[in-house]
Amino acid sequence: MSDADGELLIAQRNEQLKMIQGLACLTRDDVQRQTQVAVVLSAVQARHVIDKLWNMQEKLMTVLTRLIGSGGYAFDAFCSSYGLEGTLGEMSSKLASLNLLSESPSNVCVDRNMTFDLTFTMLTRIVYKYSNLSLDELVTDPRGGPDNTGCAFYQWSSRYVKRISSHGQESYQNDVPLVPPELKAAYKERVLRLKERQLFWDPVICNYGQLLHEMPIVGEVILDFFKDRKHIEEDVSRIFAAFRKANCLLVCIIQWLECQPLSEARRQMARCIRMVLEECVPDEKEEKDRWLFTRMVCRRQLEEMCECDSIIPPMTITLMAIAKRSFPILHRRQVPDKEMLKKAWLYAQRQNWASPNVLHLIDHCNRAGAHKSWFEFYMHHMMKLRCPDVMNRAIETICACLLLEPQETLITACVLMVDFMMDKKGQVQFEVPYVIPLVKLLTQVLLMSVWIIDREYKRVNSWRNSEPKQKRARMMGEAQIHPSIRVLQETVEVAINKFVKESSQGSLYQPISSVCHIVRMIASAPESEAKQLLLPYLKHLLFFQLARLEPGSISFELFSTFCDSTNEDHDLEKLKFLCLLRKSGGL
């Protein structure tokens, strides 16, 4: 065999090895995908089993323990199956009932320590994952049931779980009580006992509700260790490792630490906890599963505390920002400011779609009650584009953001846009063709508003009709329509009335011309249920007044679009409008 033949064989062998490695990767991916599917299917099956075991506590805890065996992936799938059907609150309220039952040693509860620990950690995971639900919705069954607001989880989380709130971020620090020095000194000895794996509470007779109230004091003592000394991670790590029998207490310390002011000691303590969760994994199967589940629950909170707060650099030239397509870093509870909104806007324009990142940022604004800030910001930036085609694409992005929380956002959008368009001082904004995209956006807002209003009324009527006839009379008097729907309906009516009022003044100026554009835009909109719902809102008086101001702006065919062919009164209105056009020279 020649050297050339040998090299050829070696080359062929190398190609075969590459193919085998590639197939091995595909096999691993397939196995991983099949494993994930199997976990999801097992979680769905576990749900059907758990629905039958809520009154059989011993078997129930066995199934719940298996759900956290995959590091929390199965439990997330388990919760998602409830969330898909809108019954997550019903399931979480039952967990809260178990948490309340296992809190005190006087209650009869199977394996009280594990029940309290597991339910507390599971409820914490639900709170973090479904942050749009309030604590009351999670612990109270919407269909009626026991009041679980007295459970230790609710009492603790309502004070120490940091979430996006319209009250701002400073309220958390004001709610955290200060620990007296003498009380802190008394607890120092108890904390030091944890180094030797000696618990300062008795798991058999302890009341977990009272024990949770002691965790802020324990946290203060440990935090002082990091303030007074450096390089003590090895000593303190043994303290944190002692909580493997009660993971919920470690979760409480992490949540308490998150409420503390930013400092180097806070960051070091968070890093130490993260190191312990990653390295000090128990050997026993049951403790290991709960420990890994706790690590998954608190991972994001610890990562944010370990990182330095991101400082947003000043905005560069707009073209450079668009070219970079950079998206601002958004923390879990952060409410976006104008700099972040501008970066997200440029990012969306460059991507030419409302990406999940942008929607997530807008969702933070909505949950903080800052609907006005982001919509007003984006509306003015849309007007600055000065290109009708680009503005039309921006409208689609804004409409996608509006649907995240339609009631509150549409109310804000309708009020801001109508006030902006009826402002006589802002006539410079209404240069054709730049007024057309703004009119198109307002038309979309009105169409979405009336469609959502009608959907809510249909839902309530369907719910009433499904009840027995004996209950319908009593239910008719109850206010079943959501208050925000009523406000949205009033907002649409007020907007139309403003158009009528402005046109009745008898002077023609550019905002009145924009009203004519709105009427034409609604009439030319594609046939849909929303359009048919919006047409009755526009009063015929508006068309008569516009025809008097500018006869050529409103044609007879346009007016006929807003009339009902089956209504005899509307036939008379058509005749009056036709006479008005002939008299004013519009024909």
Side-chain angles (χ1 to χ4, degrees):
M1 179 184 296
S2 62
D3 294 339
D5 294 336
E7 292 177 358
L8 180 61
L9 289 175
I10 293 174
Q12 292 177 354
R13 179 58 178 168
N14 291 335
E15 290 294 330
Q16 292 176 357
L17 289 175
K18 290 181 181 179
M19 293 177 61
I20 293 174
Q21 292 175 359
L23 291 174
C25 294
L26 290 175
T27 303
R28 285 195 297 270
D29 292 341
D30 291 339
V31 170
Q32 183 179 7
R33 192 178 301 109
Q34 292 175 3
T35 303
Q36 293 175 352
V37 171
V39 170
V40 173
L41 292 177
S42 64
V44 175
Q45 293 174 358
R47 176 197 165 176
H48 297 300
V49 174
I50 288 175
D51 287 339
K52 302 176 182 178
L53 296 179
W54 285 113
N55 296 325
M56 304 170 65
Q57 188 182 346
E58 185 175 358
K59 295 181 179 179
L60 174 66
M61 296 311 300
T62 302
V63 179
L64 290 179
T65 305
R66 292 177 181 175
L67 278 178
I68 64 173
S70 60
Y73 189 84
F75 181 73
D76 287 347
F78 172 73
C79 294
S80 299
S81 64
Y82 281 100
L84 184 64
E85 298 180 1
T87 57
L88 180 62
E90 181 182 354
M91 184 274 292
S92 61
S93 65
K94 294 179 180 179
L95 289 178
S97 298
L98 287 175
N99 184 260
L100 181 62
L101 178 66
S102 58
E103 178 180 338
S104 174
S106 59
N107 298 329
V108 179
C109 182
V110 178
D111 200 348
R112 187 173 69 92
N113 298 313
M114 188 187 71
T115 301
F116 184 87
D117 186 28
L118 200 58
T119 54
F120 190 97
T121 312
M122 284 181 170
L123 287 169
T124 303
R125 175 59 179 171
I126 296 175
V127 167
Y128 286 153
K129 188 173 180 62
Y130 300 92
S131 55
N132 57 327
L133 297 178
S134 65
L135 291 174
D136 294 278
E137 292 173 334
L138 289 176
V139 302
T140 305
D141 189 351
R143 301 181 181 181
D147 184 11
N148 297 319
T149 55
C151 68
F153 166 79
Y154 181 86
Q155 298 296 325
W156 173 270
S157 299
S158 59
R159 170 170 288 187
Y160 289 103
V161 174
K162 299 184 70 175
R163 311 181 82 185
I164 297 177
S165 172
S166 57
H167 303 293
Q169 302 294 328
E170 301 299 330
S171 59
Y172 293 104
Q173 298 181 4
N174 298 332
D175 291 340
V176 177
L178 297 177
V179 180
E182 56 275 9
L183 185 60
K184 192 186 302 184
Y187 270 82
K188 187 174 182 179
E189 182 180 354
R190 301 184 184 182
V191 174
L192 292 176
R193 288 169 55 187
L194 294 175
K195 285 186 179 181
E196 307 300 329
R197 303 287 179 89
Q198 298 178 7
L199 306 181
F200 63 83
W201 68 91
D202 189 346
V204 179
I205 62 174
C206 74
N207 186 301
Y208 278 101
Q210 298 175 0
L211 186 60
L212 292 186
H213 288 297
E214 300 178 10
M215 287 303 105
I217 309 174
V218 175
E220 285 280 1
V221 173
I222 299 176
L223 187 61
D224 287 343
F225 291 158
F226 288 93
K227 291 179 180 179
D228 300 337
R229 298 167 54 193
K230 296 183 178 180
H231 308 293
I232 60 170
E233 286 80 2
E234 184 177 353
D235 294 335
V236 179
S237 61
R238 287 184 289 175
I239 297 177
F240 293 135
F243 289 104
R244 62 181 59 184
K245 294 290 185 180
N247 294 264
C248 61
L249 302 182
L250 183 59
V251 173
C252 292
I253 291 178
I254 294 172
Q255 292 174 343
W256 170 85
L257 183 63
E258 198 176 13
C259 297
Q260 303 308 305
L262 296 176
S263 64
E264 183 61 28
R266 174 179 179 263
R267 187 176 297 111
Q268 290 181 3
M269 183 173 171
R271 289 174 179 172
C272 184
I273 297 176
R274 185 175 65 175
M275 179 191 67
V276 171
L277 287 173
E278 292 177 352
E279 298 179 0
C280 301
V281 180
D283 296 329
E284 200 268 328
K285 176 67 169 60
E286 183 178 314
E287 290 185 2
K288 179 180 179 181
D289 292 341
R290 290 158 59 188
W291 189 261
L292 295 178
F293 182 65
T294 303
R295 185 175 69 184
M296 184 270 293
V297 169
C298 302
R299 178 185 293 116
R300 189 169 182 182
Q301 288 71 28
L302 290 172
E303 288 178 353
E304 290 185 2
M305 286 190 288
C306 292
E307 297 174 357
C308 298
D309 280 357
S310 58
I311 300 175
I312 301 175
M315 285 298 298
T316 56
I317 301 174
T318 301
L319 290 177
M320 295 297 295
I322 293 177
K324 290 181 179 179
R325 295 199 302 182
S326 59
F327 191 81
I329 298 175
L330 186 66
H331 291 297
R332 186 169 44 89
R333 304 174 314 277
Q334 190 173 4
V335 180
D337 55 10
K338 289 186 177 181
E339 293 292 340
M340 299 181 72
L341 287 173
K342 185 172 183 180
K343 280 191 173 184
W345 172 260
L346 297 176
Y347 179 84
Q349 293 304 301
R350 185 65 180 86
Q351 298 280 358
N352 200 20
W353 72 305
S355 63
N357 292 333
V358 177
L359 296 179
H360 183 64
L361 184 139
I362 298 299
D363 182 57
H364 276 229
C365 291
N366 290 340
R367 282 192 278 158
H371 307 83
K372 180 180 178 181
S373 61
W374 78 260
F375 182 81
E376 189 174 26
F377 188 86
Y378 282 4
M379 183 183 70
H380 285 288
H381 273 71
M382 182 195 72
M383 297 299 297
K384 292 179 181 179
L385 294 175
R386 312 301 291 174
C387 176
D389 293 336
V390 179
M391 293 170 74
N392 285 328
R393 291 197 297 268
I395 288 174
E396 298 178 0
T397 302
I398 295 177
C399 289
C401 297
L402 287 172
L403 291 176
L404 285 174
E405 191 177 337
Q407 290 93 329
E408 299 294 337
T409 313
L410 288 174
I411 292 171
T412 304
C414 190
V415 172
L416 287 176
M417 294 188 69
V418 172
D419 292 344
F420 180 71
M421 296 180 71
M422 293 296 104
D423 185 10
K424 298 180 181 179
K425 298 180 181 179
Q427 294 185 15
V428 68
Q429 301 288 344
F430 294 93
E431 301 173 2
V432 179
Y434 306 117
V435 68
I436 302 301
L438 185 64
V439 169
K440 183 178 179 181
L441 178 58
L442 179 57
T443 303
Q444 293 294 328
V445 169
L446 294 175
L447 289 172
M448 287 190 290
S449 299
V450 296
W451 182 76
I452 289 174
I453 293 169
D454 181 71
R455 185 181 62 174
E456 177 69 12
Y457 276 96
K458 286 181 178 179
R459 183 190 66 81
V460 173
N461 292 333
S462 175
W463 179 68
R464 287 174 177 172
N465 294 333
S466 63
E467 294 293 333
K469 293 183 178 180
Q470 294 80 2
K471 293 185 178 180
R472 292 181 190 177
R474 177 177 57 83
M475 293 169 58
M476 291 299 292
E478 298 179 0
Q480 300 294 339
I481 302 296
H482 196 275
S484 62
I485 295 295
R486 299 187 184 276
V487 175
L488 180 60
Q489 187 174 11
E490 294 174 359
T491 303
V492 175
E493 294 173 353
V494 169
I496 302 300
N497 289 334
K498 278 191 175 183
F499 297 155
V500 176
K501 182 179 179 180
E502 291 294 330
S503 61
S504 65
Q505 296 180 3
S507 58
L508 182 62
Y509 53 98
Q510 287 190 355
I512 295 299
S513 299
S514 66
V515 175
C516 297
H517 286 299
I518 292 174
V519 172
R520 294 195 195 99
M521 190 71 69
I522 295 174
S524 61
E527 291 298 327
S528 62
E529 182 183 0
K531 179 181 178 180
Q532 297 303 319
L533 293 170
L534 181 59
L535 293 181
Y537 279 86
L538 279 84
K539 302 176 181 179
H540 291 171
L541 178 61
L542 174 63
F543 297 92
F544 280 88
Q545 293 175 166
L546 292 175
R548 292 190 184 97
L549 291 174
E550 191 177 359
S553 61
I554 306 296
S555 64
F556 179 76
E557 291 77 10
L558 179 63
F559 178 75
S560 300
T561 306
F562 295 87
C563 296
D564 186 2
S565 58
T566 61
N567 192 332
E568 296 181 357
D569 295 336
H570 285 194
D571 293 338
L572 181 60
E573 293 289 322
K574 290 181 183 179
L575 183 59
K576 291 181 180 180
F577 188 78
L578 185 60
C579 295
L580 175 63
L581 290 180
R582 287 183 176 179
K583 182 179 179 180
S584 58
L587 291 178

